Amino acid sequence: MLKNSSNYKLTECGTDEAGRGCLAGPVVAAAVILPKRFKHVLLNDSKIVTRENRMVLKKIIEKKALQYSVSFVDNFKIDEINILNASILAMHFCIDDLKIIPEHILVDGNRFKPYKNIPHLCVIQGDGKFLNIAAASILAKTYRDEYMEKIHEEYPMYNWKQNKGYPTLEHRAAIEKYGVTKYHRMSFKLLPEQLYASPGTAEKAVPTLHSSRFTRRMHEER
């Protein structure tokens, strides 16, 4: 059974990301502060929750959370600073945007950079251990999936509505056939031999989310 918190006595947020291993699209992070006694039978690591239940949980979390925030860091920023730093940056953006300042941060995984003077704890597979991290994983996953389904309409040949930008055989085959798009991460190994060639039928790479090459989206309690 997932714990409500790490037994920290003060206000605690959980944070997680989605999309680290993808060849295309942004990395998306979320931060969530849950009520002290919040529980839900469906809430768990987003990777083991069905798509239908993730969408149910998304609405519940958005309604019940004391605060939540979702941030996107796009593929250009990922290429500039690497995926680990981009993931941590997205988490920091989320915490920045919380209207309630947390006094403790629970982070999924084993790597994080200190955020201001707030103590934090990294937890390997934390999205399967703590409800606030699990809630963050649900929001990060659902918001990123919705975004990938949207840009699929621009480039349906990559089937992002299905693979969400992950390195499936189908996705790699499409890169080999059509080249790269403005959403692909050029610092990643897109094909067995690194693809440096110009895009094929796809558009040339240009910034897509924001002129500063990243965007933040914050969603407060309704």
Side-chain angles (χ1 to χ4, degrees), residues 139-155:
L139 293 189
K141 172 68 174 168
T142 53
Y143 275 91
R144 188 180 189 281
D145 282 0
E146 288 173 350
Y147 178 81
M148 295 306 295
E149 289 162 9
K150 179 179 178 181
I151 65 172
H152 165 85
E153 301 303 321
E154 290 184 66
Y155 299 103

Side-chain angles (χ1 to χ4, degrees), residues 13-32:
C13 79
T15 187
D16 197 5
E17 51 69 31
R20 277 187 64 169
C22 296
L23 303 181
V27 63
V28 179
V32 180

Side-chain angles (χ1 to χ4, degrees), residues 46-154:
S46 64
K47 294 185 291 296
I48 63 174
V49 176
T50 65
R51 185 183 188 281
E52 180 181 8
N53 285 341
R54 286 198 299 267
M55 298 310 294
V56 170
L57 286 164
K58 176 178 180 287
K59 293 180 180 179
I60 292 169
I61 293 163
E62 290 175 342
K63 182 178 180 180
K64 298 293 187 180
L66 299 179
Q67 277 284 294
Y68 70 94
S69 172
V70 179
S71 292
F72 290 55
V73 171
D74 72 15
N75 51 297
F76 295 97
K77 195 68 177 178
I78 292 169
D79 286 340
E80 179 184 338
I81 65 175
N82 79 43
I83 186 59
L84 174 62
N85 287 325
S87 298
I88 295 172
L89 181 64
M91 292 180 186
H92 281 203
F93 284 160
C94 291
I95 301 166
D96 279 343
D97 287 336
L98 294 172
K99 297 300 183 182
I100 299 172
I101 299 173
E103 294 161 290
H104 190 248
I105 303 166
L106 277 179
V107 183
D108 183 58
N110 61 357
R111 301 287 294 277
F112 192 66
K113 294 180 181 179
Y115 177 83
K116 299 183 178 178
N117 293 318
I118 301 174
H120 69 270
L121 175 66
C122 292
V123 184
I124 296 173
Q125 298 181 341
D127 45 7
K129 297 175 182 177
F130 293 100
L131 289 167
N132 51 15
I133 300 180
S137 79
I138 293 291
L139 293 189
K141 172 68 174 168
T142 53
Y143 275 91
R144 188 180 189 281
D145 282 0
E146 288 173 350
Y147 178 81
M148 295 306 295
E149 289 162 9
K150 179 179 178 181
I151 65 172
H152 165 85
E153 301 303 321
E154 290 184 66

Side-chain angles (χ1 to χ4, degrees), residues 13 112 157 170 180 194 196 204:
C13 79
F112 192 66
M157 66 282 275
E170 177 187 39
V180 295
Q194 179 67 43
Y196 290 111
K204 293 182 180 180

